[in-house]
Amino acid sequence: MLDKVRGGLFGVAVGDALGATFEFMAREEIVSRHGSKREMVGGGWLGLQPGEVTDDTDMTLCVARGIIASPQDPVEEIGRQFLAWYQTDPKDVGATIRTALGAYTKTGDWEQARALTWQRHGGRVAGNGCLMRTLPISFAYFQAPDLLSKFSREVAFLTHPDPLAAEACLFYNVLAKELLLGEDPWSAFKRARSLVQHEQLAGRLDSFQSLALEELQPTGYVVDTLEAVLWCFFNGENIIDAIESAVNLGGDADTVAAICGGLAGTYWGCSSLPERWWSRLLRKEELDQLAVGLVQASHQVR
Ligand SMILES: [Mg+2]
């Protein structure tokens, strides 16, 4: 169990750190100029150190810390963790999240912040920033399906006021929960898929297997992201292959690879991650501590 939880968190961080090097680049450019094998080299448009992570991992850790502080009722504490992180002036903050946390800072009210976010983005708020951070919910509430569902939606809704965003997070967390419990990936997929009602999301989930690599769209839209993630995970022969193919899509590479790494790490476990990747992560002690904390929290919510 702990190896899978560690694998999920390390998978997010490894995908984030590897992907950030290639964020906003095109797939053809990455593979033709840099080959298809990935190492922890840092760089990218943010000028990162090797093993340095970005908002995807930072916010995942915020969710984990919020849950560990208050397992029965984590949403407010997670919101506080997001704000504390936002106030550190991070190198990168996604557009929707910047608006939402900026609006909360001004108004002190999540409801008003949501309305302002919706308005400012013309209702286009189904970004992948809610999905990249949601994995710890699977780990703490794997034995409490009602809480898993409730908190998946509520934590998404803090910054992404769109039922589609919430449903994408619920799908992902149920999939990860089933993988944590040792289900095979396709059975896990079917269980998660059975909960999806949003027509567009359901349609894309039912058709991703038939897509060619060239048809994947690694954009910031949560449905495009999820489709690319599932394609890389289900077509990956092992954890390295799954994460590298997500990174190599380019575009929103850190986020797509972080979300794919979360699934791959949960399924294959931390022990399957190559040492040359995980050992370079700058915050591996913190990831380790939070993995242990999440397993402990899961016992408190049975
Ligand atoms: Mg990022």
Side-chain angles (χ1 to χ4, degrees), residues 16 54-56 92 254-255:
D16 181 5
T54 73
D55 52 344
D56 310 79
D92 191 24
D254 55 330
T255 301

Side-chain angles (χ1 to χ4, degrees), residues 233-247:
F233 174 62
F234 279 93
N235 287 300
E237 284 180 10
N238 52 50
I239 195 166
I240 300 175
D241 189 37
I243 293 175
E244 283 182 335
S245 57
V247 171

Side-chain angles (χ1 to χ4, degrees), residues 13-30:
V14 160
D16 181 5
L18 291 172
T21 306
F22 298 105
E23 191 179 9
F24 302 131
M25 285 173 66
R27 191 175 54 81
E28 300 74 23
E29 187 188 359
I30 295 170

Side-chain angles (χ1 to χ4, degrees), residues 204-247:
R204 298 279 291 272
L205 292 175
D206 291 340
S207 63
F208 83 89
Q209 300 167 66
S210 61
L211 295 177
L213 173 68
E214 297 72 28
E215 293 176 285
L216 301 176
Q217 302 166 70
T219 75
Y221 176 44
V222 74
V223 179
D224 288 345
T225 298
L226 192 53
E227 181 179 74
V229 163
L230 292 171
W231 195 97
C232 294
F233 174 62
F234 279 93
N235 287 300
E237 284 180 10
N238 52 50
I239 195 166
I240 300 175
D241 189 37
I243 293 175
E244 283 182 335
S245 57
V247 171

Side-chain angles (χ1 to χ4, degrees), residues 43-96:
W45 73 282
L46 292 168
L48 300 173
Q49 300 171 56
E52 186 176 355
V53 295
T54 73
D55 52 344
D56 310 79
T57 306
D58 288 340
M59 293 196 85
T60 300
L61 299 186
C62 288
V63 172
R65 277 194 292 268
I67 290 171
I68 292 164
S70 180
Q72 293 294 349
D73 187 16
V75 181
E76 244 187 79
E77 182 57 33
I78 291 170
R80 271 196 286 274
Q81 294 282 340
F82 287 168
L83 289 164
W85 165 75
Y86 182 63
Q87 280 152 13
T88 65
D89 193 21
K91 281 187 182 173
D92 191 24
V93 183
T96 311

Side-chain angles (χ1 to χ4, degrees), residues 16 29 35 37 43 45 89 98 103 121 150 157 159 207 267 278 289:
D16 181 5
E29 187 188 359
K37 297 289 159 209
W45 73 282
D89 193 21
R98 186 178 291 284
H121 292 273
K150 177 174 154 59
F157 225 60
T159 50
S207 63
Y267 179 57
W278 67 258
Q289 283 163 10

